[in-house]
Amino acid sequence: MRKVKFIFGLLLVISLPVLAQKNNYSIVGTITDHDGTYVKMHNKETNMKMDSTIIVNGKFQFRGHTDTSMLVMVNTEDWSMNHTLLIQPGTNLSIDATNATVRGDQPSAQLNQQIEKLKALKTKQQQVARQAVRVLDEDKVKYDSLVAIYDDYTQQMKDYVDSAGWLLYEANAENKIGGEILLNNAYVLTMGVNLYNEEPTPAIQRLLSYYASASPVVKNHPNLSQHMQKIA
């Protein structure tokens, strides 16, 4: 009997460190021209600061322990780098800020893929908008041409959501990244749409359908319900 108790106790002692390791998470990253400045991490669901670290030789890292999943934001002080990530037991992520890529766990990598695609189109759209403002009172033909280009970028973003955006959502419909992707899709699909005086477009109807059937973990996203209330 004593031998059985001893063996059971020994197994328990051995298993506890292994369990602790499984609940650890790791985020490592590289970034240029930011040595000596801070990278911060906060919980997007509670808006509470979690950690911060100094960039040394172009590198930074966060290591910690979690028993559950959570959405976090990792960003530099100047916000030139910012990534929303899903942290859960066993998460291992690598951020390459120079190339704006996230590698490791698939949900975070997929969200980053969506954000960078939309960000690239949005940046070009904003450049066109600034050009349009400069010629507004001088060259109506050029202004109208720039407005058409601006609208085309809007349509490119909506086309992206209508194809790849929904595939990404469906792949993450049961985790917290799904809520973030659904929110991004909603922002894009409602760009330039009068939500109060127009009938819902097929794209908006599809968005509403996805939201209606969303899992509780998706609907619990801190900003999603507020935005969807404007649409419904």
Side-chain angles (χ1 to χ4, degrees):
M1 186 66 179
R2 288 181 181 178
K3 186 176 181 180
V4 172
K5 288 182 178 179
F6 173 77
I7 293 173
F8 177 78
L10 183 61
L11 290 173
L12 184 61
V13 169
I14 293 173
S15 66
L16 286 176
V18 173
L19 182 60
Q21 288 178 357
K22 287 183 178 180
N23 287 0
N24 290 344
Y25 64 83
S26 171
I27 303 170
V28 298
T30 58
I31 186 170
T32 57
D33 302 324
H34 280 73
D35 276 11
T37 62
Y38 280 91
V39 178
K40 302 177 181 179
M41 179 167 68
H42 76 268
N43 187 315
K44 289 193 70 171
E45 298 166 83
T46 62
N47 206 29
M48 297 289 290
K49 178 181 175 181
M50 293 175 59
D51 203 352
S52 63
T53 186
I54 296 178
I55 300 167
V56 179
N57 296 325
K59 299 177 181 179
F60 64 89
Q61 66 177 14
F62 293 103
R63 301 188 190 280
H65 178 92
T66 182
D67 297 318
T68 185
S69 64
M70 53 187 168
L71 279 177
V72 304
M73 171 70 77
V74 172
N75 63 276
T76 51
E77 293 177 286
D78 62 1
W79 286 88
S80 59
M81 178 199 76
N82 61 90
H83 293 286
T84 297
L85 307 170
L86 177 65
I87 301 300
Q88 49 194 351
T91 289
N92 284 287
L93 293 169
S94 173
I95 298 173
D96 179 351
T98 303
N99 296 306
T101 58
V102 174
R103 294 184 176 88
D105 294 0
Q106 195 172 33
S108 295
Q110 289 179 327
L111 174 62
N112 181 76
Q113 173 188 340
Q114 181 198 47
I115 290 174
E116 292 306 318
K117 175 67 175 181
L118 295 175
K119 188 187 294 183
L121 291 170
K122 190 66 179 177
T123 298
K124 292 177 181 178
Q125 186 186 55
Q126 290 171 339
Q127 291 171 349
V128 170
R130 287 192 289 269
Q131 294 175 34
V133 169
R134 286 196 292 267
V135 303
L136 176 59
D137 298 322
E138 302 171 3
D139 190 335
K140 188 177 187 307
V141 173
K142 187 173 183 180
Y143 173 79
D144 290 343
S145 174
L146 289 168
V147 170
I149 296 172
Y150 180 96
D151 291 341
D152 181 64
Y153 280 127
T154 299
Q155 190 58 50
Q156 285 186 52
M157 285 187 274
K158 292 185 177 185
D159 289 345
Y160 172 78
V161 165
D162 205 35
S163 55
W166 289 126
L167 291 176
L168 288 175
Y169 170 71
E170 288 170 0
N172 293 280
E174 299 299 327
N175 65 55
K176 293 182 178 181
I177 286 291
E180 193 76 11
I181 292 174
L182 188 56
L183 179 62
N184 291 339
N185 289 355
Y187 279 139
V188 170
L189 293 175
T190 55
M191 289 173 61
V193 176
N194 186 331
L195 298 173
Y196 300 101
N197 297 323
E198 295 181 11
E199 287 295 317
T201 63
I204 296 294
Q205 290 176 345
R206 187 178 186 184
L207 169 64
L208 292 170
S209 176
Y210 271 113
Y211 181 67
S213 61
S215 64
V217 71
V218 167
K219 287 188 174 181
N220 283 338
H221 185 283
N223 301 318
L224 180 59
S225 61
Q226 182 179 2
H227 188 75
M228 293 303 298
Q229 286 172 6
K230 301 175 184 177
I231 304 172

